[in-house]
Structure formats: C-alpha cells, structure tokens
Amino acid sequence: MKLVWSPETALKAYIETVKSCELFQESAVAELVSAMAAGWNAKLIVETWSKGGVIATSIGLAIASRHTGGRHVCIVPDEQSRSKYAEAMEEAGMSPEVVFGEPEEVLQRLVGIDFLVVDSRPKEFARVLRLAKLGNQGAVLVCKNASLRASSFRWIGVLEGGSRRLVRSVFLPVGKGLDIAHVATSGGNSGLSKGKKRWIKHIDAQSGEEHVIRK
C-alpha cells in the first residue's frame, strides 16, 4: 500500500472527530492525527496508551480507521490499563483492538504499520519507535506530549542502523507538542532520488533551537 494523500478522506475524518471530541481536552491533537491517518489512507494504525492518558486521540484514530477501512490497534502496558481503556472507548462508542505486554512481544505481531502514535511520557516510547515493523511503503510516526520528553531525543538516533530513513520531520505546538516524522523504508519509494542529499530541519521541543541536518 502506497502512502498517497487524500484530502477528501482527511477532511471527512477531521469533521467527524471534531464532532466526537468537542467535550474532550486536547481535542486539537485528536483532530489533527485523525485527519493525517485518514488522509494517508493508513491501513494499520497503532498507538500506545497508559492509564490516565487522554482518550480523545484514540477516538480520532478509530474514526480514521473507519474511513480507510483499516485496523486500529492500541498497545497498553498492563491489564488494568487495558480495562480502563476499553471501558472509556466503549463509552465513546468505539471498540478498537487492545493488546498489552512487552513491546518486543507485541510489536512482533503488528507487521506493516502505516501510522504510529506514541505517548512520549513513558521511558520506553523510543524503544517502541525502534521496534515498530513499518510498511514497505514507509510510515508516518507521531510523538504526542513531545514537550514533556527528554530533550536528547532525535529521530536520527531512533532510525539509525536499520533499513529506515527519515524523509522529513516537523514539530507542531499542538496540545503538549506533536513531533511528526515521515519515514521511508528500503522496500518502498520515498520520492527522493538515491544518493541525493537533502536538508532536514528539526526544532528542539524543550529549547526551541532549530537544528538543520544534511542527509
């Protein structure tokens, strides 16, 4: 499945998410990720969630999966979180797949991820990004609560040493910060010529400093 942007699908998911999440805090994050996942026609949408997290983002991703005919899976750390998450989603009229366990075990079963949203607060969030088995045509990776994570995080550090490479990344001051990356894999077409150098800009969420890297 090639990642091809569809503005019509993105708009439909955005509007539905606005209506569904108007009573939730941080609904802007939900609306944005919903439109992105739907617009990229993501068939396997995966997110991480822990007890106490905002549920609006999950509602937005569930709506996106309906518009793309895809699969929405949420990874939680334990049975208690699974129960709380399922209960909250049922109240919202949603029923995504929920799995819990160690990232190494869970992510072995989720192959071909097109759209991944991780909460930057848990310490293992970067490990989830590294272990994720992305689709052959690449994927979109999203870190929410990015302003709360360690300032040492770099996309290049997460992706180095494998078959994945960063096409572009952007930090958006939405909610508590969204750090978004478009990643190409060796099995897909990134739209960039082989061997061609490209300047990549990254803004540090903590300091606001702008870093420009040639890759």
Side-chain angles (χ1 to χ4, degrees):
M1 193 268 316
K2 188 176 181 179
L3 290 175
V4 178
W5 180 255
S6 170
E8 294 82 6
T9 308
L11 181 59
K12 289 177 182 177
Y14 175 83
I15 292 173
E16 187 177 344
T17 304
V18 169
K19 293 177 180 177
S20 300
C21 295
E22 58 186 357
L23 299 179
F24 288 89
Q25 293 181 338
E26 295 190 25
S27 61
V29 172
E31 293 152 11
L32 179 58
V33 298
S34 177
M36 290 180 62
W40 284 116
N41 194 33
K43 297 301 183 184
L44 179 53
I45 300 171
V46 178
E47 65 169 323
T48 63
W49 186 88
S50 55
K51 186 179 176 183
V54 177
I55 210 71
T57 302
S58 296
I59 294 174
L61 293 175
I63 289 172
S65 69
R66 288 209 302 252
H67 282 276
T68 66
R71 180 184 175 197
H72 172 214
V73 182
C74 182
I75 301 172
V76 298
D78 49 46
E79 174 60 32
Q80 186 179 35
S81 294
R82 188 205 64 78
S83 177
K84 290 289 184 182
Y85 179 84
E87 181 182 346
M89 290 297 281
E90 284 174 10
E91 289 179 2
M94 310 286 180
S95 55
E97 296 179 50
V98 189
V99 293
F100 72 92
E102 289 297 318
E104 292 91 341
E105 177 188 345
V106 173
L107 290 167
Q108 285 292 324
R109 308 197 299 268
L110 300 174
V111 180
I113 297 172
D114 302 309
F115 198 90
L116 173 64
V117 179
V118 300
D119 188 338
S120 298
R121 292 174 299 179
K123 293 180 180 179
E124 70 273 11
F125 85 93
R127 188 155 57 107
V128 173
L129 292 171
R130 282 192 293 269
L131 293 170
K133 298 181 179 297
L134 307 183
N136 288 334
Q137 298 298 331
V140 175
L141 310 181
V142 180
C143 293
K144 64 180 183 180
N145 296 313
S147 298
L148 305 178
R149 72 189 174 195
S151 59
S152 59
F153 175 84
R154 296 289 184 272
W155 283 112
I156 296 297
V158 170
L159 302 173
E160 68 182 357
S163 61
R164 307 179 294 180
R165 62 189 179 87
L166 183 66
V167 178
R168 62 182 63 87
S169 67
V170 62
F171 179 85
L172 300 177
V174 180
K176 292 182 175 65
L178 286 178
D179 199 355
I180 304 167
H182 176 201
V183 176
T185 64
S186 59
N189 178 13
S190 70
L192 297 178
S193 300
K194 257 187 179 179
K196 185 178 180 180
K197 297 294 184 179
R198 185 185 183 110
W199 291 103
I200 299 169
K201 180 173 74 173
H202 176 81
I203 300 175
D204 189 284
Q206 296 289 331
S207 67
E209 293 180 354
E210 181 178 300
H211 304 277
V212 181
I213 305 168
R214 196 177 187 194
K215 183 172 177 64

